[in-house]
Amino acid sequence: MRIKSSLLNISAGLGNQIIITALSFISRTVFIHSLGVEYLGINGLFTSILSMLTLAEAGIGSSIIYNLYKPVADNDRPKILALMQLYKKAYQIIAGVVLLLGLGLMPFLHLFIKETNVENISFIYVLFLINTAAPYLFVYKNSFLNVNQKNYIVTIVFSISAIISTCMKIAILYFTENYILYLIVESILSIITSIIVAYIVDKMYPFLKEKIKSKLDYETKASFIKNMKAIVLQNVGNYFIFGVDSILISSFISIAAVGLYSNYKMLIDICRTFLNQVFSNMYHSLGNLVAKESAEAIYRIFKVTYLLNFWLYSLLSIMLYLLVEPFIDIWIGSEYKMTNTVLLVLVIAFYERGMRNSLSAVKTTAGIFHEDRFSPLFQAVINLGISLVFVKFWGIAGIFAGSVLSALAIPFWYTPMLVYKKVFNQPIRRYYSSYVYYTCIGVISCLIASRAIIIVPSNTIIGLIIQSFICFVLVNIIYIVFFHRTAEFKYLYGVVLALLHKLPHFTSVYHKTIKRKRHMEVGGTK
């Protein structure tokens, strides 16, 4: 049941992402040609600033998921109702705090913007703020669908909304070039979508509208508050690790440079979102596994997800590094490119963060929040210190180097230590031996792929597609050669076969092949 739910959620997520990705490229192209790189920079800068105000929400969201696993599994409705009421109140408070803090930042916007010709900055910022705060009044119900492994419903609703919103915004940019109208439409549709999802949840689970007849026990409340405080601390640190890049670029270089970076960030975020569709849906199944199974069983499944984690993140890291620059040349022009050093550092950061994905999922589903609550804060201090020094010598690349070096200084060793000690009961050297082995294979694959694709010119769409195909096939072949004998690969291969058997055409061909083989064996016996 866990695998079936995960596969359904993954399929919905990937289908959604394919559509959204295609539309986002069209939207970004129209945006650049209609408004220019400075508006693109403002877009990225305000998104980064307002991310700082939503840190508390991330703590609530993770606590909801963790605390609801057991009552949902036990169908403990009184406790579910009490928890959902608590989360509703928490989100209402968060929406108000985000709005007030956001308004309080308005007089200081000029400190973050080095130079720009964009008009109506304050009004644009208010629209961003409304779009950030308003959905929190409804979003807590999304978590209930996620815990029930029905997040494909959320995905479908948001996919339809995104398609409508993107098409409308493209039309607005193309015909009017009015950025204010563009943002107003985005805000209205975002709020409507949140209301629709809340309505669907009420229809699917009408008991959620019942009056609360019991109160939460002290232990649950104490656990919720303890974990939420720890997660908020972690997310404050995470913001200063991952969220301040655009602010630093705008403050030390220019708002136009933020626009250039935002194109690279969009491409990397597309890859990250694709992979999150796979791993975030496994995450909720893993929550049930952690709650019910032994440490040995959890570790066995972790090794499978860890191989898959490496396979997908390294494959996309290689393709990003080799293909992003020729893609930008063809897509919007060489004037929108940054240096190869910046790209390399961004890809390394993408890979390093991605390789911790499986560990982070186990850590969160096991409820390990309190133990490393200060780690992101220490990492943030290191990140900001390195970035502020290196930006003077290396420019944008120096800012991103801070993220990589601070990650190696703290979570690279501390997160696996916690998980291997508290969940797996395994020696930590097993993690690092696998990490080094996997990374060496990834580097070798990248070098081979880089040599192989140069035989095809990349200055046309057809050439770039051929290069992408060569890179994709070659890296996968290398990985199959290295991993085909491992238990983890055999498990993943079995899952793929199970998926294929669900396809009508494959099943028909498979059964015909088996029948033909049996017929030949009978004939041979005779």
Side-chain angles (χ1 to χ4, degrees), residues 107-406:
F108 307 100
L109 290 179
H110 66 280
L111 298 176
F112 303 114
I113 302 173
K114 189 172 182 180
E115 53 184 58
T116 183
N117 295 316
V118 176
E119 299 178 349
N120 301 312
I121 291 289
S122 296
F123 186 55
I124 290 170
Y125 175 78
V126 168
L127 290 174
F128 266 91
L129 182 59
I130 292 170
N131 193 28
T132 301
Y136 288 144
L137 298 174
F138 313 96
V139 76
Y140 71 100
K141 291 190 177 179
N142 295 2
S143 298
F144 193 71
L145 286 175
N146 292 340
V147 172
N148 282 278
Q149 298 186 50
K150 295 185 185 296
N151 39 318
Y152 63 88
I153 295 172
V154 179
T155 300
I156 291 170
V157 174
F158 276 89
S159 297
I160 295 170
S161 172
I163 291 168
I164 294 170
S165 174
T166 306
C167 290
M168 289 180 68
K169 290 188 293 184
I170 289 171
I172 288 168
L173 290 174
Y174 185 79
F175 291 108
T176 70
E177 299 184 0
N178 190 323
Y179 186 52
I180 302 293
L181 183 59
Y182 171 98
L183 293 175
I184 289 172
V185 168
E186 185 175 47
S187 297
I188 292 172
L189 288 177
S190 175
I191 294 169
I192 291 173
T193 304
S194 299
I195 293 172
I196 290 171
V197 172
Y199 175 78
I200 291 172
V201 173
D202 287 339
K203 282 292 184 182
M204 290 181 64
Y205 304 99
F207 75 90
L208 292 176
K209 295 186 288 185
E210 295 176 6
K211 291 184 178 180
I212 299 174
K213 298 178 181 178
S214 61
K215 293 184 178 181
L216 281 176
D217 57 277
Y218 173 79
E219 184 181 346
T220 302
K221 274 188 178 180
S223 173
F224 168 73
I225 293 170
K226 177 183 175 182
N227 288 335
M228 191 183 74
K229 286 179 179 178
I231 297 168
V232 169
L233 282 174
Q234 290 173 354
N235 283 298
V236 169
N238 285 334
Y239 173 77
F240 284 100
I241 297 164
F242 304 114
V244 299
D245 294 336
S246 294
I247 296 174
L248 290 175
I249 295 170
S250 177
S251 302
F252 286 93
I253 302 172
S254 69
I255 196 69
V258 178
L260 295 179
Y261 161 59
S262 70
N263 292 323
Y264 283 73
K265 185 176 184 298
M266 184 192 78
L267 295 172
I268 291 173
D269 283 347
I270 286 170
C271 294
R272 184 174 285 118
T273 305
F274 263 109
L275 297 182
N276 283 345
Q277 294 297 337
V278 176
F279 291 105
S280 66
N281 288 299
M282 286 184 179
Y283 165 91
H284 302 296
S285 297
L286 192 60
N288 293 328
L289 188 71
V290 170
K292 296 179 181 179
E293 302 292 347
S294 65
E296 184 181 350
I298 299 166
Y299 182 60
R300 188 167 60 250
I301 295 300
F302 164 76
K303 288 194 295 183
V304 174
T305 62
Y306 189 45
L307 175 60
L308 181 63
N309 196 86
F310 160 75
W311 196 303
L312 296 179
Y313 270 96
S314 62
L315 173 62
L316 287 182
S317 295
I318 292 167
M319 296 186 73
L320 280 168
Y321 181 66
L322 298 179
L323 302 170
V324 158
E325 289 186 336
F327 175 77
I328 288 179
D329 270 336
I330 296 170
W331 175 35
I332 47 179
S334 58
E335 65 271 24
Y336 288 94
K337 286 196 324 188
M338 295 191 293
T339 65
N340 185 260
T341 303
V342 172
L343 175 61
L344 177 61
V345 176
L346 286 173
V347 170
I348 291 172
F350 170 76
Y351 173 77
E352 190 283 326
R353 184 180 173 189
M355 282 294 282
R356 283 186 277 120
N357 192 66
S358 294
L359 273 175
S360 298
V362 174
K363 184 177 80 72
T364 302
T365 52
I368 303 174
F369 302 120
H370 188 71
E371 292 84 345
D372 69 339
R373 62 196 182 280
F374 296 117
S375 296
L377 295 177
F378 293 136
Q379 186 185 352
V381 171
I382 296 171
N383 176 44
L384 282 174
I386 294 174
S387 296
L388 290 172
V389 172
F390 282 17
V391 70
K392 297 177 182 178
F393 302 100
W394 296 347
I396 296 177
I399 293 173
F400 301 128
S403 299
V404 175
L405 295 175
S406 64

Side-chain angles (χ1 to χ4, degrees), residues 69-84:
Y69 275 131
K70 193 173 189 315
V72 166
D74 298 340
N75 197 27
D76 186 351
R77 291 192 174 184
K79 190 166 186 177
I80 291 171
L81 284 171
L83 283 168
M84 292 297 284

